[in-house]
Amino acid sequence: VDSSDASAILELYAKTSTGTMENIDEKTVIISDVNRDTLVDASDASRILEYYASASTTDKELNWDIFLSDKL
């Protein structure tokens, strides 16, 4: 999980917002909805960046699922 994942979510969000989304499967949308609010938007990208920043500045190993569950 890193900043490129956040960029991919922002790209997906931009495409869905402008109606130019083509061939995006349901699994991609479900995976991209990291905060589980049924929307793929900048909030999801922000969660990824928050995790990436935390993981980059600590010696402790961060668990993605635990990190998200603490934030929901």
Side-chain angles (χ1 to χ4, degrees):
V1 177
D2 61 25
S3 59
S4 63
D5 298 310
S7 293
I9 286 177
L10 288 173
E11 182 179 355
L12 178 61
Y13 172 56
K15 287 180 178 181
T16 58
S17 295
T18 59
T20 59
M21 185 173 83
E22 297 178 13
N23 299 324
I24 305 295
D25 61 282
E26 185 177 346
K27 183 178 178 179
T28 300
V29 173
I30 291 169
I31 291 170
S32 299
D33 180 20
V34 296
N35 65 2
R36 300 178 188 121
D37 66 353
T38 71
L39 302 170
V40 176
D41 57 19
S43 296
D44 300 300
S46 180
R47 292 286 170 111
I48 289 175
L49 291 173
E50 185 179 355
Y51 172 84
Y52 179 59
S54 294
S56 298
T57 58
T58 185
D59 293 332
K60 297 178 185 178
E61 186 173 329
L62 294 179
N63 179 289
W64 172 249
D65 292 322
I66 294 171
F67 181 83
L68 286 180
S69 67
D70 289 345
K71 303 295 179 183
L72 293 177

